[in-house]
Amino acid sequence: MKKQNDIGIDRNTRFVHQSVAPQNIDEHNWYYEEKDGIEIIHQVTAGGMDCVRTDSIFIPWERLTDTVRRHWGTYN
């Protein structure tokens, strides 16, 4: 897993349609644009803001495309 806010990642020009760097949502959440979809990372913290664990979910591009079409009212 790449580290959040890591800007030292080399970009492969064959994949210009996706970013290889983490895309920040907020301090404890970010996502990666993968070949087959988006991987969302969430850090679960305790009282002192210590990371207890890190959760991850994967959403395929097809599901995201359907969602965006519904949102913009262009779903056929």
Side-chain angles (χ1 to χ4, degrees):
M1 182 174 1
K2 301 173 189 103
K3 182 179 177 186
Q4 185 179 15
N5 299 321
D6 184 356
I7 58 172
I9 299 171
D10 293 331
R11 184 179 176 112
N12 187 331
T13 55
R14 294 181 302 147
F15 302 111
V16 293
H17 61 281
Q18 67 191 47
S19 173
V20 296
Q23 304 297 308
N24 291 328
I25 298 170
D26 59 31
E27 184 179 356
H28 301 287
N29 300 282
W30 63 96
Y31 65 91
Y32 297 104
E33 298 171 3
E34 305 288 347
K35 177 184 173 199
D36 296 324
I38 297 247
E39 181 180 13
I40 301 171
I41 310 296
H42 170 67
Q43 285 184 337
V44 178
T45 58
M49 298 301 288
D50 294 328
C51 182
V52 175
R53 71 175 192 274
T54 303
D55 293 337
S56 167
I57 64 165
F58 183 82
I59 305 172
W61 288 119
E62 294 78 20
R63 303 300 288 215
L64 292 168
T65 301
D66 291 345
T67 298
V68 170
R69 285 182 178 153
R70 281 190 298 273
H71 176 74
W72 293 113
T74 58
Y75 196 82
N76 293 325

